[in-house]
Amino acid sequence: MWRARQAAVSCEVCQLLVKHSSDIQRNLPLQKLHLVSRSIYCSHHPALKLQRPQLRTSCQQFSSLTNLPLHKLKLSPIKYGYQPRRNFWPARLAARLLKLRYIILGSAVGGGYTAKKTFDEWKDMIPDLSDYKWIVPDFIWEIDEYIDLEKIRKALPSSEDLAKLAPDLDKIAESLNLLKDFFTAGHTLVSEVIDASGPLLLLGSPGETAFRATDHGSESDKHYRKVSDKEKIDQLQEELLHTQLKYQRILERLEKENKELRKLVLQKDDKGIHHRKLKKSLIDMYSEVLDVLSDYDASYNTQDHLPRVVVVGDQSAGKTSVLEMIAQARIFPRGSGEMMTRSPVKVTLSEGPHHVALFKDSSREFDLTKEEDLAALRHEIELRMRKNVKEGCTVSPETISLNVKGPGLQRMVLVDLPGVINTVTSGMAPDTKETIFSISKAYMQNPNAIILCIQDGSVDAERSIVTDLVSQMDPHGRRTIFVLTKVDLAEKNVASPSRIQQIIEGKLFPMKALGYFAVVTGKGNSSESIEAIREYEEEFFQNSKLLKTSMLKAHQVTTRNLSLAVSDCFWKMVRESVEQQADSFKATRFNLETEWKNNYPRLRELDRNELFEKAKNEILDEVISLSQVTPKHWEEILQQSLWERVSTHVIENIYLPAAQTMNSGTFNTTVDIKLKQWTDKQLPNKAVEVAWETLQEEFSRFMTEPKGKEHDDIFDKLKEAVKEESIKRHKWNDFAEDSLRVIQHNALEDRSISDKQQWDAAIYFMEEALQARLKDTENAIENMIGPDWKKRWLYWKNRTQEQGVHNETKNELEKMLKCNEEHPAYLASDEITTVRKNLESRGVEVDPSLIKDTWHQVYRRHFLKTALNHCNLCRRGFYYYQRHFIDSELECNDVVLFWRIQRMLAITANTLRQQLTNTEVRRLEKNVKEVLEDFAEDGEKKIKLLTGKRVQLAEDLKKVREIQEKLDAFIEALHQEK
């Protein structure tokens, strides 16, 4: 019975130790590693190198997890035989039992204190990792809100599996039973038994606790000899890696389930089940702010310092592939070695129920789960890039804005820049290299921009250009994240794996970085899917020596960890800088408003779009004013313009040839033939041209006519451009000429003058036409012969030698006409010879062509004067006209000709006026509206046509207010999310 009590006391000691160590374990932070892996990790921690214990005999206690030497048991010799004792054995037994109780209690308290002290020392040796807390994404700290931890608990190993790893207490009890015989030797042996029970040792490290039982006998000694230190390390690292990957897969599976659930919730919201309007996401609000800022001209030194992730790297380094892995879709054009990114592409990643992409200026959604939509998206991006690139250039600074939504995407804004090149190849513009550098610097010089520096791991690091550029922009590496791509090729090709470690740790470059990552973006096949690339990446790192040899840490690999770290860094930078940026725009707004009040106190602040709408209304009002023009005004200007256009043809080609005939019958025949030819070929077309020009002139008059005080000269350029474009687009009705031809032919066929008033009107029209021609002829002769004697004396002008020759020739020809006033219109050859010889006799050398030219003007003047005299005689000839000039020497057929021309002009003007008011004015108004609509959609046109300080100031005011409002809304939403 006494022995049973001693065994129970020993069990109480073990229970106290187990309870104490379990309490310590509960106070430690929860880690994702397996319990065995934790203890393995700590056993190889550089700060916790444990000494290898010396080999013990089979009766000695051994543990590979402690550096504390175990004491040998000192067994006192037992003497056999009868020894006389005093008869106070109950008192002695009670004293010994009391001593044993105090010894056990003291040992337990001392052991607990020693264990706690050791644990505190190890805890102090762990470095402070709070500065690297940003690497862990925010959702990890709030993981209980997104992930069902109950499922994770069920997925973890059961308590039975964990119990197998715990020390075997039954074996410990057996060991204690072997030693219970020694308790009879006295209280001195109890302390030695307690020392022997030391195989149950507490081993702790920061964040990890494990119990290990000691091994007994020669079997453990033999096993320890067989297993070398290197093999044991490899085995433990392999176990650690497999455990990490196992829980990584569990976490990914749970996240995938969470994505599906969130997708279902969002889809229900889209279908209106909750009947509520979804608020705009935080990242979409931030992206809108960046879009407005990209268009803002910082003329008041207000620069865009809002964060975005700038992706830079050498050409073909894998920038686009990394971005596609983060976006989880192959969205960018691809090419074998050629430059594909020709302009910056801003990609806004946000979470949504469907994996779609859409451009900022388009409503079309591309379904990224369908290959045909992906191909269409890549083609559209390529077309936009080529459109942005101007002629003679290779790259463009204009940004393409793209939004990508999908379940599980990390919220951030990334800008993919053209790859940095070292040499300009054939087909590129000479300034391509400098242009790419300037574009990259423009984005990286933003002090809040996160630089994602992409380095190709398959090429020599010394060939990298982008690292020097990044070092110039961020010399301290406070906002740079370094990414090594194509690590699978690097591991194959690099002879020394430590070189990759030097690259990852930033020891091979002068560039410093906030974090270093290694990723694999596929096997080089452009047709690979994102899922296939992700599986290949995971498989590679699972078997890679870089992880097994601890050259890379688990959080430094895979694009998934990269996207989490970049997103967390992005939002951290946003929270730190957005309020400061909002304050700067408030100051800018105050300055702009003050300037407007001082310069334009009585004008409303109308931006370019508002001014365009105002000008549009004015232009449409002026077009409508065309319909208010009276028919009389239309007909007058049409008749006058048409006569000015056709008068030369009527006088030179119809009237003058017909007037050379000898009798009235031949005159009328010639006139009818020429009028018919003219009507069939030229007259309708000339009439339509005159009508169209008249419409243009009236339209221009209304557009450019000043409106008094209400006139705003800021619209002049726009109105002129609208007028020119509308006139260019307007075409007269094709059927107008055919109908007009019939009307004109019928008008010219009529020879009947009904009354004296029409006769007098025809004579007046004829006199005006002939006098105008006579005046033109007089001017032509004056220019030919030079100033007369009066001008020479009064204005001190002289004739040139050529003018003198023309004057002598004119005088000679006038003498010929005086001798024969009925001379025909053309000179005979002998007459030309006679004139030339007469001039040569006076010392004037002339050419026959000069004589003909001078004769044309001289005879024309003589004919017109004769026709005007005949016109005066015909004023009283209406009576003879009514009698068809019977028994009269007076013939006034030329008056009848001009009456026919005048009547044709009046009828044509009336017909054209009807076409204008009924059809063409409306068609012109329609063209003007189309032109205005086209200009409204063309931002460059509006910028070009609506210019000036007033416009620019109003435009800046509008943009600054819009930016401030969006920033305030974003900041409010950001605080609500916190």
Side-chain angles (χ1 to χ4, degrees):
M1 183 174 179
W2 183 86
R3 291 183 179 181
R5 289 179 182 176
Q6 296 298 326
V9 170
S10 301
C11 291
E12 288 180 3
V13 174
C14 296
Q15 290 174 0
L16 287 172
L17 291 176
V18 171
K19 181 179 179 182
H20 181 71
S21 57
S22 62
D23 291 339
I24 296 175
Q25 184 177 4
R26 278 194 296 268
N27 294 330
L28 294 177
L30 179 62
Q31 301 293 332
K32 293 184 179 179
L33 300 180
H34 196 280
L35 290 173
V36 176
S37 302
R38 289 185 225 156
S39 55
I40 291 171
Y41 175 82
C42 291
S43 65
H44 293 85
H45 194 280
L48 300 174
K49 293 185 178 179
L50 304 180
Q51 296 179 358
R52 180 177 175 181
Q54 298 179 356
L55 295 177
R56 312 295 179 102
T57 59
S58 58
C59 62
Q60 291 174 334
Q61 305 299 321
F62 172 77
S63 174
S64 62
L65 302 176
T66 180
N67 57 357
L68 300 176
L70 300 178
H71 299 286
K72 297 181 182 179
L73 292 176
K74 296 180 181 180
L75 302 179
S76 301
I78 300 175
K79 298 180 180 181
Y80 298 95
Y82 174 78
Q83 294 182 2
R85 298 271 187 182
R86 293 184 180 181
N87 200 17
F88 297 104
W89 63 269
R92 288 196 299 270
L93 179 60
R96 290 183 180 181
L97 287 176
L98 289 174
K99 286 184 180 180
L100 177 62
R101 182 182 62 181
Y102 290 130
I103 290 172
I104 293 174
L105 230 100
S107 300
V109 173
Y113 175 76
T114 304
K116 183 178 182 302
K117 186 176 180 182
T118 305
F119 170 74
D120 291 338
E121 290 176 356
W122 287 345
K123 184 176 180 181
D124 293 338
M125 286 189 291
I126 292 182
D128 186 9
L129 300 178
S130 60
D131 294 338
Y132 301 92
K133 185 179 178 182
W134 64 269
I135 297 178
V136 182
D138 290 342
F139 82 92
I140 293 297
W141 309 113
E142 303 172 357
I143 195 169
D144 57 336
E145 298 180 8
Y146 303 101
I147 299 177
D148 191 351
L149 296 178
E150 185 64 23
K151 292 185 178 180
I152 297 178
R153 186 186 65 78
K154 294 179 180 179
L156 292 174
S158 62
S159 57
E160 297 177 356
D161 296 336
L162 294 174
K164 295 179 181 179
L165 302 174
D168 193 348
L169 298 180
D170 293 337
K171 292 184 177 180
I172 297 175
E174 292 178 1
S175 301
L176 292 174
N177 288 332
L178 295 174
L179 301 174
K180 62 184 178 180
D181 295 334
F182 299 111
F183 280 101
T184 56
H187 67 272
T188 56
L189 295 179
V190 175
S191 60
E192 295 180 2
V193 172
I194 296 300
D195 291 337
S197 65
L200 197 60
L201 296 175
L202 176 64
L203 186 62
S205 65
E208 298 175 345
T209 308
F211 283 104
R212 293 297 174 92
T214 56
D215 298 328
H216 301 276
S218 60
E219 293 182 359
S220 57
D221 296 338
K222 295 178 182 179
H223 180 70
Y224 184 86
R225 295 189 189 98
K226 292 180 181 178
V227 180
S228 64
D229 291 342
K230 187 176 184 305
E231 291 176 350
K232 187 180 296 184
I233 291 172
D234 292 342
Q235 181 180 359
L236 298 178
Q237 287 181 345
E238 187 75 20
E239 182 184 353
L240 173 63
L241 182 60
H242 281 292
T243 306
Q244 288 177 334
L245 292 176
K246 174 183 176 182
Y247 290 111
Q248 184 80 7
R249 283 193 291 269
I250 294 173
L251 184 61
E252 289 178 356
R253 179 170 58 80
L254 294 175
E255 286 182 350
K256 187 175 181 180
E257 293 177 0
N258 189 34
K259 289 177 188 177
E260 293 296 330
L261 293 174
R262 290 173 64 85
K263 181 177 179 180
L264 291 175
V265 172
L266 291 172
Q267 286 176 345
K268 289 179 181 179
D269 288 336
D270 287 344
K271 294 177 181 178
I273 291 178
H274 296 290
H275 300 287
R276 63 182 179 88
K277 184 178 179 181
L278 291 175
K279 290 185 178 180
K280 193 175 293 185
S281 67
L282 197 63
I283 189 65
D284 289 337
M285 297 171 66
Y286 184 76
S287 180
E288 287 182 0
V289 175
L290 295 182
D291 289 336
V292 177
L293 280 171
S294 65
D295 299 332
Y296 177 63
D297 184 12
S299 57
Y300 289 85
N301 298 324
T302 301
Q303 299 179 357
D304 174 14
H305 288 168
L306 287 177
R308 71 262 286 159
V309 181
V310 180
V311 186
V312 296
D314 298 327
Q315 184 179 350
S316 302
K319 296 186 294 76
T320 303
S321 299
V322 171
L323 194 54
E324 286 180 336
M325 289 294 291
I326 295 175
Q328 299 180 15
R330 311 299 293 268
I331 58 178
F332 290 103
R334 318 194 72 77
S336 55
E338 61 178 321
M339 180 182 291
M340 298 305 298
T341 306
R342 296 179 178 270
S343 65
V345 182
K346 181 176 76 70
V347 181
T348 303
L349 301 180
S350 59
E351 193 171 18
H354 307 288
H355 202 186
V356 295
L358 66 158
F359 293 98
K360 178 187 73 172
D361 54 355
S362 175
S363 59
R364 178 187 176 184
E365 285 191 350
F366 297 88
D367 190 349
L368 302 183
T369 60
K370 297 179 181 179
E371 187 57 38
E372 55 270 19
D373 278 22
L374 279 171
L377 176 61
R378 290 192 290 264
H379 181 66
E380 180 67 19
I381 292 176
E382 186 174 3
L383 288 179
R384 288 174 179 255
M385 285 183 180
R386 296 188 182 278
K387 182 180 178 181
N388 288 344
V389 177
K390 298 180 180 179
E391 186 176 357
C393 300
T394 306
V395 294
S396 169
E398 297 183 22
T399 304
I400 299 173
S401 183
L402 180 68
N403 292 338
V404 178
K405 298 181 180 181
L409 292 182
Q410 298 300 319
R411 303 175 303 165
M412 66 183 102
V413 177
L414 304 102
V415 182
D416 186 21
L417 299 180
V420 180
I421 60 174
N422 190 23
T423 305
V424 177
T425 59
S426 60
M428 293 184 179
D431 62 341
T432 302
K433 180 179 177 180
E434 290 75 15
T435 304
I436 294 175
F437 268 79
S438 63
I439 294 173
S440 302
K441 286 181 179 180
Y443 277 91
M444 289 191 292
Q445 69 184 2
N446 178 358
N448 296 320
I450 300 167
I451 304 173
L452 196 62
C453 180
I454 309 298
Q455 169 67 32
D456 188 350
S458 63
V459 299
D460 294 336
E462 291 78 8
R463 294 166 56 186
S464 175
I465 309 171
V466 71
T467 51
D468 294 335
L469 181 62
V470 173
S471 299
Q472 296 174 9
M473 299 282 81
D474 185 24
H476 302 291
R478 294 193 179 100
R479 52 189 180 89
T480 301
I481 297 177
F482 181 83
V483 182
L484 186 68
T485 62
K486 305 177 184 179
V487 183
D488 52 342
L489 300 178
E491 189 177 35
K492 290 180 183 178
N493 301 332
V494 177
S496 175
S498 61
R499 186 175 178 83
I500 299 177
Q501 185 181 14
Q502 291 177 348
I503 296 175
I504 291 295
E505 294 176 354
K507 298 178 180 178
L508 208 59
F509 299 107
M511 181 191 73
K512 298 179 181 179
L514 195 63
Y516 298 87
F517 290 86
V519 299
V520 175
T521 55
K523 301 178 182 179
N525 185 5
S526 60
S527 62
E528 284 182 292
S529 65
I530 296 297
E531 290 297 328
I533 296 175
R534 185 176 297 167
E535 291 176 1
Y536 172 70
E537 183 183 40
E538 181 179 338
E539 181 182 358
F540 167 76
F541 283 116
Q542 183 177 356
N543 301 319
S544 174
K545 295 180 181 178
L546 299 174
L547 277 182
K548 292 181 179 179
T549 56
S550 298
M551 292 185 183
L552 295 177
K553 306 300 181 185
H555 68 272
Q556 289 182 297
V557 297
T558 72
T559 51
R560 181 181 177 278
N561 289 334
L562 171 65
S563 62
L564 291 172
V566 172
S567 176
D568 189 71
C569 186
F570 168 76
W571 284 107
K572 179 183 177 184
M573 196 76 77
V574 167
R575 293 185 180 97
E576 292 175 353
S577 61
V578 67
E579 293 188 2
Q580 181 182 0
Q581 190 75 5
D583 293 339
S584 66
F585 275 100
K586 287 179 183 178
T588 304
R589 176 177 176 176
F590 175 78
N591 295 337
L592 293 174
E593 289 176 344
T594 303
E595 184 175 359
W596 181 274
K597 291 177 183 178
N598 293 332
N599 291 296
Y600 311 103
R602 298 184 179 181
L603 294 177
R604 286 192 302 123
E605 301 169 3
L606 299 178
D607 60 22
R608 189 171 278 111
N609 291 330
E610 293 170 337
L611 287 171
F612 182 83
E613 290 299 321
K614 183 179 178 182
K616 177 181 177 181
N617 294 330
E618 287 188 10
I619 293 171
L620 292 177
D621 291 341
E622 290 162 358
V623 174
I624 294 175
S625 299
L626 285 173
S627 60
Q628 307 299 322
V629 178
T630 61
K632 182 180 179 181
H633 178 73
W634 277 122
E635 292 182 11
E636 286 178 356
I637 59 179
L638 284 170
Q639 188 170 346
Q640 182 181 356
S641 301
L642 183 59
W643 172 242
E644 291 175 357
R645 180 67 61 85
V646 302
S647 60
T648 302
H649 182 84
V650 170
I651 300 295
E652 302 293 337
N653 298 331
I654 297 175
Y655 175 60
L656 288 178
Q660 305 302 318
T661 58
M662 301 304 295
N663 53 60
S664 61
T666 308
F667 178 87
N668 291 330
T669 302
T670 304
V671 167
D672 290 343
I673 293 173
K674 291 187 176 294
L675 287 177
K676 179 69 168 62
Q677 294 174 350
W678 183 44
T679 306
D680 291 340
K681 296 180 179 180
Q682 299 180 12
L683 183 57
N685 183 267
K686 294 288 184 183
V688 170
E689 288 181 0
V690 168
W692 178 216
E693 291 175 1
T694 304
L695 180 61
Q696 293 181 34
E697 291 173 1
E698 289 298 304
F699 180 51
S700 301
R701 181 172 66 85
F702 281 108
M703 293 281 286
T704 58
E705 190 176 39
K707 306 296 187 298
K709 294 182 178 180
E710 297 179 359
H711 178 70
D712 195 344
D713 57 358
I714 203 170
F715 300 139
D716 290 346
K717 290 175 68 176
L718 176 61
K719 291 182 177 180
E720 184 66 23
V722 171
K723 182 196 74 174
E724 293 178 358
E725 185 65 24
S726 302
I727 291 173
K728 186 188 299 183
R729 295 186 185 185
H730 185 79
K731 291 183 179 180
W732 206 272
N733 191 352
D734 296 334
F735 301 102
E737 289 188 16
D738 298 333
S739 60
L740 195 59
R741 183 179 290 107
V742 176
I743 294 171
Q744 290 171 340
H745 181 73
N746 294 333
L748 291 172
E749 285 290 327
D750 188 8
R751 295 187 181 89
S752 59
I753 303 176
S754 58
D755 53 19
K756 182 69 166 59
Q757 186 179 359
Q758 292 182 359
W759 181 267
D760 292 340
I763 290 175
Y764 180 75
F765 176 64
M766 179 179 175
E767 283 183 343
E768 280 190 340
L770 294 177
Q771 287 176 358
R773 290 295 159 182
L774 179 59
K775 185 178 180 180
D776 293 341
T777 304
E778 292 286 356
N779 292 332
I781 291 174
E782 184 179 354
N783 293 331
M784 185 183 293
I785 65 175
D788 56 5
W789 64 270
K790 187 184 292 185
K791 290 183 178 180
R792 291 200 301 272
W793 281 97
L794 294 176
Y795 302 106
W796 294 84
K797 293 183 178 180
N798 295 321
R799 290 174 178 163
T800 63
Q801 184 178 358
E802 184 179 359
Q803 288 175 343
V805 174
H806 277 290
N807 183 54
E808 293 294 335
T809 305
K810 178 187 75 74
N811 294 334
E812 189 68 26
L813 292 173
E814 285 179 347
K815 292 177 183 178
M816 184 184 297
L817 277 175
K818 287 181 181 180
C819 297
N820 184 13
E821 292 185 356
E822 300 295 332
H823 194 287
Y826 301 100
L827 287 174
S829 299
D830 56 344
E831 291 176 331
I832 295 174
T833 303
T834 301
V835 172
R836 186 166 60 84
K837 288 183 178 181
N838 292 338
L839 292 173
E840 287 177 355
S841 64
R842 295 201 299 268
V844 179
E845 295 289 337
V846 295
D847 189 79
S849 61
L850 185 145
I851 297 173
K852 290 180 181 179
D853 293 341
T854 308
W855 168 255
H856 177 71
Q857 297 297 334
V858 171
Y859 179 80
R860 184 186 182 86
R861 182 175 64 178
H862 170 72
F863 173 80
L864 291 173
K865 288 181 178 180
T866 304
L868 283 172
N869 292 332
H870 180 70
C871 186
N872 289 329
L873 293 174
C874 288
R875 287 183 184 277
R876 60 182 186 276
F878 181 68
Y879 171 75
Y880 298 103
Y881 166 76
Q882 288 179 326
R883 298 181 61 184
H884 303 289
F885 299 104
I886 299 173
D887 299 331
S888 173
E889 295 180 357
L890 184 64
E891 292 182 357
C892 297
N893 293 311
D894 48 357
V895 177
V896 177
L897 170 63
F898 277 92
W899 180 83
R900 293 165 69 183
I901 298 295
Q902 186 184 30
R903 187 167 181 271
M904 182 273 299
L905 292 175
I907 293 174
T908 302
N910 181 269
T911 305
L912 292 174
R913 189 265 305 168
Q914 292 180 16
Q915 291 182 0
L916 280 171
T917 55
N918 296 336
T919 306
E920 300 305 327
V921 171
R922 295 178 182 176
R923 293 178 66 235
L924 178 62
E925 182 180 356
K926 181 181 178 182
N927 289 336
V928 171
K929 289 180 179 179
E930 291 177 355
V931 171
L932 288 172
E933 288 175 0
D934 293 343
F935 282 8
E937 296 176 357
D938 192 346
E940 294 182 358
K941 276 277 187 187
K942 289 191 285 188
I943 293 173
K944 182 180 178 181
L945 299 175
L946 292 173
T947 57
K949 180 181 178 181
R950 169 182 152 198
V951 180
Q952 191 60 46
L953 186 58
E955 195 73 13
D956 290 343
L957 259 173
K958 176 196 172 185
K959 288 182 179 178
V960 169
R961 285 173 179 158
E962 183 181 2
I963 292 170
Q964 184 184 350
E965 290 172 1
K966 290 184 179 294
L967 274 175
D968 291 342
F970 173 74
I971 292 172
E972 183 180 356
L974 191 65
H975 291 327
Q976 289 177 358
E977 188 181 72
K978 283 185 180 181

